[in-house]
Amino acid sequence: MSEPDDHTLLTAWRAGDRAAGSVLFRRHFTALFRFFATKVDDARASDLTQSTLLAAVEARDRLQPDSHIRAYLFGIARRQLLMLLRTLGRHGTPASLSESCAEGVLPSPSAVLVEGEREALVVRALRRIPLDLQMLVELHYWEGMPTDRLAEIFDVPRGTIKSRLSRARTEARRALERLIEDPARRESSVQDFGRWVRRLRGRDASESTP
């Protein structure tokens, strides 16, 4: 027997079925945790994931029946990250996702995601590009988000997303190049950038799932 889809669960949840809401959130917890885990440590990634889900609970009656749940949740996640930057900005940190990079601004990333040296280099490279571009790369490679959903998350036209995604890939590859001293290894790593980013998606948040 197949599991109910997101819209079925959302309809049941809005009708008062709390169990349906719990199933919906468990389904998306790992992806949300992974989204935060390249930007902050385990504890904060878990807190931000919970905050995202709580915000979704509070806004559930505003969700339309045809809403794309994942895009909706990642839109909230992006705003949670922006609020964190604004909090840090009170202490002199830039509070813009388009200008700030995770490296040097946010805490060290979660250890859950990284398994090998090259994956660690990819995470470091992603943390050296503006956060909005980092998120674009991750949502494209990890979540398979099409441009229309990305435009919904980032609240910009679809054409803008295409150009930003191209820039994001270019900047991430350049950041990776600067991290690898050996020329041969540098070339192979940059060429395989997409594969190494996708490998990170295989790491889950099972240890942190409530």
Side-chain angles (χ1 to χ4, degrees), residues 149-167:
R149 298 303 181 194
L150 290 171
E152 182 181 336
I153 293 168
F154 290 85
D155 195 26
V156 296
R158 185 177 176 182
T160 301
I161 286 294
K162 290 181 178 179
S163 62
R164 285 187 186 177
L165 187 54
S166 175
R167 178 189 162 204

Side-chain angles (χ1 to χ4, degrees), residues 78-79 81-83 85 94-101 129-133 135 154:
R78 180 176 176 271
R79 292 192 290 276
L81 197 61
L82 180 57
M83 284 192 290
L85 278 184
S96 168
L97 293 174
S98 62
E99 297 175 5
S100 299
C101 302
I129 67 176
L131 277 160
D132 258 347
L133 298 186
M135 286 185 271
F154 290 85

